[in-house]
Amino acid sequence: MNSNLSNEEIEKKIDESSSNPTKMWELINFYISKSKKNKDKEALFYAYRYASNTSKYPLNIKYADSALITGQKSEIKKILLDAYLNRGNINMSEEFYQKALDDILVANKLSQESGNDYIFNKTIYYIAQNKIYLGQYEDANRELETCLKFFKDNLKNKSSLGKNYEMYYIYSLMSLIDSNTKLSKFKENKILLKEAFEYIDKNKLEKYLPYFISSVGTNAYYNKDYETAIKKLSEAVRLYNDQWQHNTEVFYLGLSYWHTGKKKLAVKYLEELDKHYSKTKKLDPQFRSAYEILIKYYKSTGNTEKQLEYINKLMTLDRSYEKNYKSLYQRIAKEYDTKKLVAEKNRIESKLKNQRIIFITLFIILLVISVFFGFRIYKEKQNYKKRFEEIIDQLNQESSTEEKLMVDSTEKVEDQKFDYDFYNKIPGLNPLFVENILKQLDIFEKENKFLDSQISQKSLSEDLGTNSTYFSKIINTYKGKNFTLYISDLRLDYIIDHLRNDVKYLNMDVKELATIAGFSSAENFSDHFRRKFDLKPSVFMKMMKSKL
């Protein structure tokens, strides 16, 4: 290796060797060694950054940490903020979104303080990526239009070490096209795609060509032109010459084949995504519908084993999405967008003469709001506690009453006579027939057959040897409620009993409890729970835990 190569020349050779991993790593290791030997912390940072962006997990995280440590030791602010941004980018590629957002927001803050427009616009680009993951395409669009203009305006500035305006111009263009696609902005994309292909052709950047061909395919899919989508996405897959998995193309090829009726072929593509998930335990939320299609397909073929496998995987994924993406959404809204608003507010206030009066007024308003909402939360908690105690007392009383009735019925069982008046409450129905139905219902309840999610008034009436009309009259007269409430209350009593007596049920989520009890959905379960107990199931479980 020629030791007289400048840092810029080394970086250029690394970029040119992207299709030859062995040669590329030889150059990166040489770059690292040369920088250490020369004690050039700035060059060492860029060398580590190359290593982090080229290696796989967990090495990429370690190299990103080394790049950050080097940036901190250098005491050069532009390197430090670039180091935070780089580690944020690596964490985001590994779907560690919380850690990624932490670093990106630090870089965003430092870039504003230092006036580093290059890094500031890179942070805008990566925050836009987080918003795309959350499906906030309108917000992402605004961010991407801003950073795209900046990188495009600086395309001629290619010689500065550690800066790559061209790459981020292409990335921003690619990402803007993607978000436009999701928003059905096909006319805007026609102009942007023309710009992209002309720039790639003019500057001989063939390595980016398949990405934009893929964008054409995805655009066609959302425009319901499935044949074009299949053609372009397949072409992109053939042209890729890198180490990355291209799940986006696989996903949209699967969906396109599904919509054209080639279901077996579609399933083969979608199962490739499942292989990726089984290997990494990570899957982009935009690919979630792949599992819905796989479940639907195997249900139609009668393969219940596969159907159950994909249902379980989808439930696991949903728990992960609910936990990770809900939290990420709150953090973006609070730590990024709010900061931009506060910065704008401060610039306006700096122009006002009565700044102190405005500050005090705002403080008082916020204090009043805080006290108001704090009091409301306190009162709500007190009401929850009171209602919880009432429910427990009521359940204890019911349990005691049931035990007494069981004892009484055991003592009187020998003397028990047929109660004609009791079973003769429904005109036109034989009392012996009513007695038989009620006894069968007792068995139905004791054997917990109400947990079957497929149970219906029609199916149960047939099982008991009657018709739906007679059965409905018996339920309403002797159970005091319609069939739906009767079944729901049995299920709720079953679950509430287990919540009180088996701690493992308190550690389940609402979806799991709903499934166990036979409810069609967590929402249906929660609605009936609130109807019967005037309390959310999650609140009841939390208070039950605190009582242990």
Side-chain angles (χ1 to χ4, degrees):
M1 190 69 66
N2 186 354
S3 58
N4 293 322
L5 286 172
S6 69
N7 293 334
E8 286 85 351
E9 287 172 333
I10 295 171
E11 290 194 1
K12 185 178 180 182
K13 286 184 175 293
I14 292 172
D15 291 336
E16 291 172 349
S17 304
S18 60
S19 60
N20 186 345
T22 303
K23 178 67 174 177
M24 182 171 59
W25 269 104
E26 183 183 342
L27 287 161
I28 291 171
N29 287 325
F30 171 71
Y31 196 9
I32 292 172
S33 300
K34 177 176 180 286
S35 303
K36 285 182 176 178
K37 183 179 178 181
N38 295 338
K39 296 181 179 180
D40 186 343
K41 288 187 174 62
E42 183 175 4
L44 181 59
F45 160 73
Y46 293 127
Y48 278 137
R49 189 176 69 175
Y50 266 109
S52 67
N53 283 282
T54 308
S55 53
K56 294 182 179 180
Y57 182 81
L59 274 178
N60 55 354
I61 301 292
K62 291 182 178 179
Y63 278 123
D65 288 337
S66 297
L68 180 57
I69 292 168
T70 303
Q72 290 167 336
K73 288 180 178 179
S74 74
E75 297 183 354
I76 301 173
K77 184 164 276 190
K78 70 172 184 176
I79 294 179
L80 179 59
L81 59 90
D82 203 355
Y84 274 110
L85 182 60
N86 179 65
R87 193 172 69 173
N89 181 26
I90 297 299
N91 275 317
M92 190 162 63
S93 70
E94 295 299 334
E95 299 184 16
F96 300 139
Y97 296 115
Q98 300 297 324
K99 293 179 180 179
L101 192 56
D102 286 338
D103 286 338
I104 292 169
L105 290 171
V106 170
N108 181 268
K109 181 181 178 183
L110 290 173
S111 62
Q112 288 185 72
E113 292 174 353
S114 65
N116 189 321
D117 290 337
Y118 176 75
I119 300 297
F120 177 71
N121 279 277
K122 279 176 69 175
T123 64
I124 291 176
Y125 169 79
Y126 286 116
I127 289 171
Q129 301 315 298
N130 272 291
K131 291 193 173 186
I132 286 173
Y133 279 116
L134 292 170
Q136 297 176 317
Y137 300 114
E138 288 284 3
D139 288 348
N141 253 31
R142 288 190 288 270
E143 309 290 0
L144 289 167
E145 285 171 355
T146 299
C147 60
L148 175 64
K149 184 180 185 306
F150 172 80
F151 292 123
K152 185 176 181 179
D153 290 345
N154 286 275
L155 278 172
K156 293 182 180 179
N157 190 356
K158 296 182 180 179
S159 61
S160 182
L161 181 64
K163 295 181 179 180
N164 195 331
Y165 293 98
E166 182 176 75
M167 183 176 72
Y168 279 97
Y169 161 67
I170 291 172
Y171 284 177
S172 300
L173 188 56
M174 198 183 303
S175 194
L176 181 58
I177 290 170
D178 177 57
S179 62
N180 275 343
T181 297
K182 302 300 193 306
L183 294 168
S184 300
K185 295 183 176 181
F186 304 121
K187 288 183 179 179
E188 290 86 340
N189 273 355
K190 187 174 181 180
I191 297 169
L192 293 173
L193 284 164
K194 183 175 182 293
E195 177 184 335
F197 286 122
E198 286 178 353
Y199 187 83
I200 288 170
D201 182 58
K202 180 180 178 182
N203 294 278
K204 295 180 172 55
L205 296 170
E206 289 79 9
K207 65 179 180 178
Y208 293 114
L209 183 61
Y211 291 93
F212 287 100
I213 292 174
S214 174
S215 294
V216 174
T218 308
N219 211 52
Y221 169 80
Y222 277 91
N223 212 6
K224 298 184 179 180
D225 182 359
Y226 302 120
E227 295 298 335
T228 300
I230 291 169
K231 179 182 176 182
K232 291 298 180 181
L233 290 165
S234 300
E235 182 183 355
V237 171
R238 289 195 300 271
L239 289 174
Y240 282 125
N241 185 23
D242 55 33
Q243 59 183 314
W244 312 114
Q245 285 187 300
H246 295 281
N247 287 331
T248 299
E249 287 76 12
V250 171
F251 175 66
Y252 285 109
L253 276 168
L255 293 189
S256 296
Y257 280 120
W258 182 265
H259 285 293
T260 55
K262 298 177 181 177
K263 296 188 175 181
K264 287 186 179 179
L265 187 55
V267 166
K268 286 184 178 180
Y269 277 98
L270 298 178
E271 285 184 328
E272 287 299 313
L273 292 175
D274 176 58
K275 289 177 185 177
H276 169 77
Y277 171 65
S278 297
K279 181 179 179 180
T280 64
K281 299 303 176 188
K282 294 181 290 186
L283 194 70
D284 192 312
Q286 70 168 313
F287 302 142
R288 181 188 179 280
S289 61
Y291 280 98
E292 293 177 338
I293 291 175
L294 289 171
I295 291 167
K296 188 185 298 183
Y297 174 76
Y298 283 110
K299 181 180 180 181
S300 70
T301 62
N303 190 334
T304 53
E305 187 177 330
K306 276 285 187 182
Q307 185 185 353
L308 181 60
E309 176 189 343
Y310 289 126
I311 286 171
N312 288 331
K313 285 184 177 179
L314 183 55
M315 288 175 67
T316 303
L317 270 172
D318 279 346
R319 283 195 291 272
S320 172
Y321 293 157
E322 185 177 5
K323 177 182 176 182
N324 295 322
Y325 289 90
K326 181 179 179 182
S327 176
L328 181 61
Y329 175 79
Q330 291 170 342
R331 300 224 30 224
I332 287 180
K334 182 179 178 182
E335 294 187 34
Y336 175 63
D337 296 304
T338 302
K339 285 191 174 182
K340 291 204 299 187
L341 291 172
V342 169
E344 183 66 21
K345 182 176 84 69
N346 288 339
R347 281 196 293 272
I348 294 171
E349 287 182 349
S350 66
K351 298 177 183 179
L352 302 175
K353 295 180 181 180
N354 300 321
Q355 190 174 17
R356 186 179 178 188
I357 295 173
I358 294 171
F359 174 79
I360 293 171
T361 303
L362 286 173
F363 176 78
I364 292 171
I365 292 170
L366 290 172
L367 183 62
V368 170
I369 292 171
S370 299
V371 170
F372 173 73
F373 282 106
F375 180 73
R376 279 189 62 179
I377 292 169
Y378 170 78
K379 288 292 291 181
E380 192 174 65
K381 286 183 178 180
Q382 291 299 107
N383 289 334
Y384 284 158
K385 184 178 179 182
K386 181 182 177 183
R387 181 62 191 136
F388 174 77
E389 290 172 350
E390 289 173 352
I391 292 169
I392 296 298
D393 288 342
Q394 182 183 343
L395 292 171
N396 288 337
Q397 289 173 14
E398 288 175 359
S399 178
S400 176
T401 302
E402 285 176 8
E403 289 176 5
K404 186 175 184 302
L405 287 172
M406 287 177 66
V407 171
D408 291 344
S409 66
T410 303
E411 292 173 351
K412 297 176 182 179
V413 69
E414 294 180 0
D415 301 326
Q416 192 172 13
K417 295 180 180 179
F418 180 70
D419 190 343
Y420 181 87
D421 291 336
F422 177 74
Y423 295 113
N424 194 35
K425 294 180 180 179
I426 305 173
L429 288 187
N430 189 318
L432 291 173
F433 170 75
V434 173
E435 179 194 28
N436 178 49
I437 296 297
L438 291 174
K439 283 182 177 180
Q440 290 188 74
L441 280 177
D442 285 341
I443 296 170
F444 170 79
E445 293 175 12
K446 288 174 183 177
E447 293 180 355
N448 297 330
K449 292 183 178 180
F450 50 81
L451 297 178
D452 181 359
S453 62
Q454 301 302 314
I455 198 77
S456 68
Q457 182 172 311
K458 185 176 183 296
S459 65
L460 184 54
S461 64
E462 290 174 355
D463 290 344
L464 299 183
T466 183
N467 60 49
S468 187
T469 303
Y470 289 166
F471 185 58
S472 176
K473 289 181 179 180
I474 293 171
I475 291 292
N476 279 274
T477 302
Y478 289 93
K479 300 299 179 180
K481 59 192 80 173
N482 62 33
F483 178 78
T484 300
L485 294 183
Y486 166 64
I487 294 295
S488 295
D489 285 352
L490 286 174
R491 290 170 175 172
L492 291 171
D493 289 340
Y494 175 87
I495 283 296
I496 209 86
D497 182 60
H498 282 71
L499 289 173
R500 293 176 65 205
N501 299 304
D502 192 340
V503 70
K504 77 177 182 182
Y505 284 83
L506 292 174
N507 294 319
M508 295 181 180
D509 60 26
V510 173
K511 286 183 181 178
E512 289 176 296
L513 293 177
T515 301
I516 290 169
F519 284 96
S520 59
S521 66
E523 291 76 14
N524 186 249
F525 169 63
S526 296
D527 288 344
H528 279 288
F529 197 98
R530 292 184 71 176
R531 170 190 60 76
K532 184 173 174 64
F533 299 111
D534 193 25
L535 203 66
K536 291 181 181 178
S538 57
V539 174
F540 179 87
M541 292 163 69
K542 183 178 179 181
M543 291 188 168
M544 201 70 214
K545 284 180 183 179
S546 66
K547 193 180 179 185
L548 295 177

